[in-house]
Each structure stands twice: as C-alpha cells, then as structure tokens.
Amino acid sequence: MAEEGSPMNDVIRLGSDMSLLQSTDLELLRHITFPTPFSEDHKEQLRNVVDARRSEYIILFIKLLNNIKKCVDTILDFLLVLIENTNFTEEWANISTKTETVDPITPFMPYLDSRDGSLLSRVYPVFAAILCVCDVEKFIKPINQALDFCIVNLRGINPSALEISVHALTFLMRNRAIRRLLRKKHALTYLVELVVAQSDSVQLAYEIGFCLWMLSYDDKAVRDLLKLQIIAKLHDMLRTYKKEKVARIGLMTLTNLVNLQNKIESGRTSGEWYYIGYSDDEQEDDRDQRINIYQDMIGLGMVRTLTIQSKKTFADPDINKMIDNILEILEKNIDETTSFADYKQEVLSGRLDWTPVHKSERFWKENIKEFESENFKILQELAAVLKSTTNPKIMAIALHDFGEFVKYHPQGRKVVNELGIKGNILSLMEHGDPDVQKNALLCSQKILVQKWEFLNQ
C-alpha cells in the first residue's frame, strides 16, 4: 500500500514520465513506499517484502540506478537498509548468472567520483557490501578502486571522507581475499594510526576496531599489525572508550591474538610468518624477534587494565567472559616473562626494550634483592647505559628502572646517589623527548622524596 510522503513516490512518478517502468515494476515499488527516515518496523517490513521477490527487486533497482539519476539518493537509502541482509547482497553480486544482460557493479560506477559527500556516504557502503561477496578475481578492478579510495582517505585529511572510507572497509574486510589486497597495498599502518586518534567519535572507533578484528583472522596481517604496535593501540582503546561495543570489539581482537599465540606455542601453525622480521617481499629475514603476544600484553600492563575492567558489570556477559579468559591465560604466562636472568641479559646487552619485566610489580618485589649481587653490578651497568645512550626509548626505560629500584629497595635512594647519576637523571627532565621527560621526572621524585608512596595520595 502506497504511503504519502514516501520519496519512493517521486521515483515512481519520474520513472512513469520516462516510460521506464512496466506494470510489474510499478507493483513492486508501490509495495515499498515507506517514509524516510525509516523506523525499525519499516526497515523490517522493507526487508521482508523485498526478500519475497528478491531477484525481481534487484533487477529493478539496477534499472533505476542506471536510468533515474535524479533520485539516486532515494534508491541508495533503500539499499542501505537492504544490504544488512547477506542473502540480498549475495544475490545482487551474482545476478548476472540469472540475467546475463544485467551487470551488478556498473550501476555504481558513475557515482564513485562524485564530490557530493552525502552521495558518497550512501554509494560506497552499498558498493562495498556487494563487492565483499563478489568473485574477487572477476571484479578485481572495482575492488581495487574501492580500496584505493579508502586508503587515500584513511590519512584523515577530510573527516567526512575518513568516516565514509572506514564504514566502507567494515564491509570490504569481511572478505579474506580483499583483506589480503589491503595488506599488500601497505595500508594497515593507516588503520592502526587511527586507533584512539579519533577519540571523539565512538562510532568511528568501533568501526576501526571492527576492521582490525577482521584482519586479526589472517596470520600474516597479524604479524604486520604487531610490527605496528597493535597491542599497545588496543590497550589504549580499552582505557579510552567507555562504550561497551568498543570494549567488545577490542577484546574480540585481543582474543584472536591470544588464540594465535596459543597455536604457535602448540605447534598448530606452520611457516616462518610468525617471526616479526619475516617478509613476503624480502629474501633476507631478520628472525631475531619471534612473536610473543603474551609477553607484549603483560609488558604493556594489560593484566592490570583487564583486572580493573573485570570488576565492571557489562550488559553483555560475553565481555566479562572474554576478560576472564584473557586474564587466565596471561596470569599463567606471567612467571615466564618476569625472570631476573632475562632482565640482566637485556641490561648487559645495552638494548633495552619495554619487555614485561620493566613494568611488572611482581618482578620488582620478588627480585629486588638480586640487584645487590656483586656490589650492585647490574645497576652500575644500567647507569653506564643511561650515560652513553642517545636513544630516547632506552633512556626512558633506564630512568623508569632506576625509579622502580628506589621504590622497592629499602636503601634505593642511597644506592642510586652513590652511583653518581642523580645529576644525569635531573638533567633529563629537560630532554626533548616527552617520554624521557616523564620518566626522568618520576624517577627524580622517587629519589628526592622520602616517602615516595605519598606522591600518589
């Protein structure tokens, strides 16, 4: 039954004036003359009506897109509701197998280069939803066109174009072959950089997280994401956003990473991809750094963050289950990542990194007496590293460790003063690197204040 005020009436009127519509077409359109914006009830009714005669509606929509450009916004508004049904998009993508003269992709092509942001926000999600269920080899050209549009806009110069691109990627990333194409275009770095950078938009953060979750199903994509510090970014996401859907998608991604590490540990995966340095495009690989997702998560303080999160009551009980599962796995592995022997080897090498020992409260409490060996030799080596290095990260880690030593050793202030590095520490509060400044300040406070614990009160 036709409803007054429906924009579909304008399509019917214009199509009739152009002698474009047959009697069957008119019948089909009159059954979907719902007013916009759609209520949830109308969305459900629209899907049900179209589902009953899906092929006929798809052929009709393609005809309208090809011929009634004045009403393209209206047609796309209806399609934005219908693409939520996978059966609809799959049949659209394969419509040429039923009607050879109908092309599923061509109708969208004239609109893809539009400068009308409102039109692009409609056409790209519909286009992407259909492409993600297409034969990738057959439609490689339009798929590359869609990916290239998204990649250009992921740089965030145009906020509106960024939102359109990320939303389109939430459809494209559902196809494994398309995920591989995105990775080969070296675009993962742009996605990772966007995590938390767009902290004022919960929806955008969720959609970026969704794309990363999809990518976390691909082993080689995970290796690239780890090189881009994805675990640190996901950690920031959990601490920044309060909305459940963002927490859920972040935890789902972390769960995939934990499961992958479990596969590596149990030998249920093959190949060399699980070395960080391994590259498909290089003949020589740096295989010094093997993937250790547990270690990275523990080192970043994920246990503390998840413990805090576990005390919250979420509407979705699966969130608490995911938190508990990840915590259980990390706590089982924490002993292996808090060895003093490993710490000593790292300091003696001079190549300090944010390995789990540095931020592990348990490590400092249980191993603080080990630092006394050979007249505090390990601290002397750490002091030498601090004095000689020009690497800001190494400086920050050394400063952090001296602060932790003062915090946990009963004679910590006296020992550090006797090492003759207090002046070095104080001077680094004016260093150009903000992380060095921060750790120098914290370390200085612990050295200068009699009761360091009062600093947090």
Side-chain angles (χ1 to χ4, degrees), residues 37-102:
F38 298 101
S39 67
E40 290 303 315
D41 285 344
H42 283 150
K43 286 182 181 180
E44 188 63 27
Q45 290 177 52
L46 174 59
R47 294 187 196 107
N48 289 337
V49 170
V50 171
D51 208 40
R53 300 172 69 176
R54 203 182 303 135
S55 295
E56 293 175 81
Y57 271 105
I58 289 170
I59 292 168
L60 176 55
F61 280 126
I62 289 174
K63 182 196 290 189
L64 296 174
L65 286 171
N66 279 328
N67 294 282
I68 307 184
K69 299 203 169 25
K70 286 185 179 179
C71 295
V72 66
D73 283 2
T74 295
I75 300 163
L76 290 169
D77 282 339
F78 278 74
L79 291 177
L80 283 168
V81 176
L82 294 170
I83 60 172
E84 295 176 22
N85 183 340
T86 306
N87 291 331
F88 178 82
T89 54
E90 287 180 349
E91 188 149 343
W92 184 300
N94 294 289
I95 195 65
S96 58
T97 61
K98 293 185 177 181
T99 310
E100 291 183 5
T101 57
V102 178

Side-chain angles (χ1 to χ4, degrees), residues 231-232 235 239 295-302 305 354 356 359:
I231 294 176
H235 189 211
R239 293 186 297 177
Q295 182 179 18
D296 290 346
M297 292 174 71
I298 293 167
L300 286 164
M302 191 76 76
T305 299
W354 285 115
K359 294 186 178 182

Side-chain angles (χ1 to χ4, degrees), residues 262-277:
N262 185 45
K263 281 170 59 181
I264 295 171
E265 298 295 326
S266 61
R268 287 184 289 115
T269 185
S270 59
E272 300 286 352
W273 64 267
Y274 47 82
Y275 287 92
I276 292 287

Side-chain angles (χ1 to χ4, degrees), residues 364-409:
W364 290 100
K365 284 182 176 179
E366 293 185 357
N367 294 287
I368 197 65
K369 290 293 183 180
E370 298 286 346
F371 285 84
E372 298 175 2
S373 177
E374 298 182 63
N375 194 28
F376 298 96
K377 180 180 179 181
I378 197 66
L379 287 181
Q380 295 175 37
E381 295 292 341
L382 188 62
V385 171
L386 180 63
K387 290 176 181 178
S388 63
T389 187
T390 58
N391 184 314
K393 182 174 76 170
I394 293 176
M395 287 181 194
I397 296 169
L399 289 164
H400 170 273
D401 287 4
F402 277 119
E404 292 299 272
F405 175 79
V406 171
K407 175 179 174 180
Y408 289 102
H409 196 281

Side-chain angles (χ1 to χ4, degrees), residues 215-381:
L215 286 162
S216 71
Y217 282 98
D218 293 276
D219 292 349
K220 290 182 180 178
V222 168
R223 184 204 62 208
D224 291 349
L225 291 171
L226 289 171
K227 284 198 273 187
L228 297 168
Q229 306 300 317
I230 186 58
I231 294 176
K233 293 290 188 178
L234 292 170
H235 189 211
D236 289 342
M237 177 187 282
L238 290 177
R239 293 186 297 177
T240 301
Y241 297 98
K242 308 302 179 187
K243 289 289 185 180
E244 278 199 18
K245 67 178 185 179
V246 180
R248 184 189 303 109
I249 205 70
L251 289 165
M252 289 165 68
T253 308
L254 287 170
T255 296
N256 280 357
L257 297 181
V258 166
N259 290 340
L260 175 58
Q261 183 66 44
N262 185 45
K263 281 170 59 181
I264 295 171
E265 298 295 326
S266 61
R268 287 184 289 115
T269 185
S270 59
E272 300 286 352
W273 64 267
Y274 47 82
Y275 287 92
I276 292 287
Y278 178 82
S279 171
D280 298 333
D281 306 317
E282 298 172 4
Q283 293 185 3
E284 292 187 9
D285 308 323
D286 173 15
R287 293 184 179 139
D288 291 338
Q289 190 178 356
R290 197 173 189 269
I291 285 175
N292 193 326
I293 292 165
Y294 301 151
Q295 182 179 18
D296 290 346
M297 292 174 71
I298 293 167
L300 286 164
M302 191 76 76
V303 171
R304 182 174 183 276
T305 299
L306 292 177
T307 300
I308 293 170
Q309 296 276 0
S310 69
K311 296 174 183 176
K312 299 178 183 178
T313 302
F314 295 95
D316 180 359
D318 286 343
I319 294 179
N320 289 101
K321 289 179 183 176
M322 283 190 284
I323 291 171
D324 291 342
N325 289 339
I326 296 171
L327 269 176
E328 182 181 359
I329 292 168
L330 294 184
E331 285 168 355
K332 285 180 180 177
N333 286 273
I334 200 164
D335 287 339
E336 298 175 12
T337 59
T338 55
S339 160
F340 186 79
D342 290 342
Y343 176 80
K344 184 177 179 180
Q345 183 178 359
E346 185 181 333
V347 173
L348 293 175
S349 74
R351 297 192 295 272
L352 303 182
D353 203 352
W354 285 115
T355 50
V357 291
H358 300 281
K359 294 186 178 182
S360 168
E361 182 178 356
R362 179 175 177 178
F363 168 79
W364 290 100
K365 284 182 176 179
E366 293 185 357
N367 294 287
I368 197 65
K369 290 293 183 180
E370 298 286 346
F371 285 84
E372 298 175 2
S373 177
E374 298 182 63
N375 194 28
F376 298 96
K377 180 180 179 181
I378 197 66
L379 287 181
Q380 295 175 37
E381 295 292 341

